[in-house]
Amino acid sequence: MQCVLAAVAAPCGEQTHREVQDYYGKELQKSEDLKTNACVTSARPLPTAVRDALERVHEDVVARYYGCGLAIPECLASCRILDLGSGSGRDCYVLSQLVGERGHVTGIDMTEGQVEVAKQHIAYHMDKFGYRKPNVEFLQGYIEKLGDAGLADESYDIVISNCVINLAPDKRAVLQEAYRVLKPGGEMYFSDVYASQRLSEAVRKHRVLWGECLAGALYWGDLYSIAEEVGFSSPCLVTASPITIGSKELEGIIGDCRFISATFRLFKVPGSSQATPGQVIYNGGIVGHERELVFDANFTFKEGEVVDVDAEMAAILRSSRFAEEFLIRAGGTNTAAPQGCCGKRVKEKICDPFQLLERLAAPVPACCPAGTGGPLGCC
């Protein structure tokens, strides 16, 4: 049966699934086997708690890791988390420590070999973490069909994904399923590969480029329209990092298209949430982020400081697990935006990850010394 090409769906979904399973289950045995840095790039330094948790993950699990960016959000104690495309379980075992014994982590992946690696190490990690019973589980299944794996509506506080959605033939179905299983106020926090333009048919049909996370990359602008269609809040761009292609042959096929690893956060904001601008004060209660919380590329909340936020950010903070960490009150204007240094206001939010990458690479202005943690766009 001939497959129909679409802007956000890869050719031949079942065939793509089989080829990706073979690529990650057979051809790749360790991270070093990858031909580009698309699936191993890290968008920002690891927080101390995450770095310490990672050091306690079994080396065999880490060796089979193929992720991009940082898919570990803040404020995780006692949360129920679902990891889409959990692979060998590296991120799940990190999250297991951060949610604690009262929390729970579910990993789902379509590749049998990866799931088996993850399952084989459950007892090892629970013993190492000092847990009386496992707070992790691993399922084999497709991230576009979470219901087939028995995952119920509104059953998770957070859904994460680390460089996996690009491998799914139907991106909209993935986001729709994530929205379904999230509780009201829940968050989807994910890193993935994005393209600077919609990809040509030659790129989208290239087997190696699929396995390397490039041929299935979504044009970044399409993420915003898909998220809105599904029901999520507008994507909050967190950070971005460059992707390099180490093969002249692959570069010739790709042409002038650029790729980037970017982290976004989406929220399932209840319709009852008040859609009005506000002022918020962060109380400094999130472990590891006591002095300031860098929420995304546009909003940094420092302990005790009043920040004007737009209606959407006010609704996100009011309805999510972050509500208890902020004093939220009515105020501000519809044009409220994160403040930059020098007393100026950022006129527009940064939505384009390629624009963000350019700003991150630009020299830091004298009024914004490195390490201040202030939002981008000042001066």
Side-chain angles (χ1 to χ4, degrees):
M1 179 177 179
Q2 187 175 7
C3 297
V4 179
L5 298 178
V8 295
C12 304
E14 292 185 6
Q15 178 184 346
T16 299
H17 278 150
R18 288 195 300 270
E19 292 183 352
V20 170
Q21 285 173 311
D22 286 344
Y23 200 77
Y24 283 85
K26 298 176 181 179
E27 294 193 26
L28 298 183
Q29 297 301 316
K30 55 187 182 301
S31 303
E32 289 78 5
D33 294 335
L34 291 162
K35 298 174 178 61
T36 74
N37 77 336
C39 295
V40 294
T41 183
S42 179
R44 58 177 175 175
L46 297 175
T48 300
V50 176
R51 186 171 62 248
D52 291 346
L54 180 58
E55 290 178 355
R56 291 187 284 269
V57 177
H58 196 285
E59 60 183 8
D60 290 348
V61 170
V62 175
R64 296 289 294 270
Y65 161 73
Y66 315 111
C68 66
L70 178 66
I72 309 291
E74 319 83 4
C75 199
L76 301 179
S78 301
C79 284
R80 286 183 54 83
I81 301 179
L82 172 63
D83 183 359
L84 302 180
S86 52
S88 62
R90 191 204 77 156
D91 289 356
C92 289
Y93 286 123
V94 171
L95 290 164
S96 167
Q97 301 169 71
L98 300 178
V99 301
E101 273 194 280
R102 297 181 61 185
H104 188 272
V105 182
T106 301
I108 184 169
D109 198 278
M110 69 178 177
T111 305
E112 182 179 2
Q114 290 282 75
V115 174
E116 287 304 312
V117 170
K119 287 183 175 180
Q120 289 168 7
H121 294 85
I122 292 178
Y124 168 87
H125 288 100
M126 296 305 102
D127 180 65
K128 195 170 187 65
F129 304 161
Y131 292 171
R132 290 167 294 179
K133 61 179 181 179
N135 71 341
V136 296
E137 64 176 335
F138 296 98
L139 308 173
Q140 185 176 358
Y142 297 110
I143 61 177
E144 306 99 315
K145 301 177 180 180
L146 300 179
D148 290 353
L151 303 186
D153 295 357
E154 300 184 357
S155 53
Y156 290 95
D157 301 293
I158 305 168
V159 172
I160 71 161
S161 176
N162 199 334
C163 199
V164 170
I165 297 176
N166 66 83
L167 297 173
D170 189 344
K171 274 69 169 170
R172 189 185 188 284
V174 176
L175 266 64
Q176 183 68 66
E177 280 291 85
Y179 187 89
R180 179 183 66 79
V181 301
L182 278 172
K183 300 175 183 178
E187 175 184 12
M188 183 175 183
Y189 187 97
F190 61 110
S191 294
D192 214 83
V193 178
Y194 296 90
S196 59
Q197 60 193 46
R198 294 189 178 97
L199 302 178
S200 69
E201 184 174 341
V203 171
R204 285 156 31 84
K205 286 187 174 181
H206 197 281
R207 180 176 177 275
V208 172
L209 290 176
W210 261 103
E212 294 289 323
C213 305
L214 300 179
L218 192 66
Y219 164 55
W220 70 268
D222 286 335
L223 173 65
Y224 285 80
S225 58
I226 295 173
E228 181 180 1
E229 291 171 8
V230 167
F232 279 114
S233 61
S234 296
C236 299
L237 173 60
V238 180
T239 190
S241 59
I243 287 176
T244 57
I245 313 298
S247 165
K248 291 293 184 182
E249 178 184 356
L250 296 181
E251 287 177 352
I253 297 170
I254 291 169
D256 60 357
C257 183
R258 294 178 295 149
F259 294 91
I260 198 169
S261 168
T263 300
F264 286 92
R265 54 198 329 164
L266 309 176
F267 287 86
K268 185 177 182 176
V269 177
S272 59
S273 294
Q274 299 176 11
T276 57
Q279 293 183 324
V280 302
I281 302 175
Y282 174 49
N283 65 21
I286 300 177
V287 176
H289 305 270
E290 292 85 358
R291 296 185 63 183
E292 68 175 20
L293 173 64
V294 182
F295 194 83
D296 61 16
N298 296 291
F299 286 99
T300 292
F301 303 107
K302 296 187 177 182
E303 181 190 12
E305 289 189 358
V306 178
V307 178
D308 287 336
V309 295
D310 56 23
E312 187 164 57
M313 181 56 65
I316 286 172
L317 295 178
R318 186 178 290 113
S319 65
S320 69
R321 69 186 187 282
F322 294 99
E324 295 183 358
E325 309 299 337
F326 286 85
L327 171 63
I328 306 172
R329 61 196 184 197
T333 66
N334 283 317
T335 57
Q339 291 185 345
C341 59
C342 314
K344 297 182 179 180
R345 284 183 176 272
V346 181
K347 293 183 179 179
E348 295 182 0
K349 288 184 179 180
I350 302 174
C351 298
D352 181 347
F354 291 91
Q355 179 188 5
L356 174 59
L357 188 61
E358 291 176 0
R359 295 199 183 190
L360 291 172
V364 179
C367 64
C368 302
T372 60
L376 294 165
C378 59
C379 309

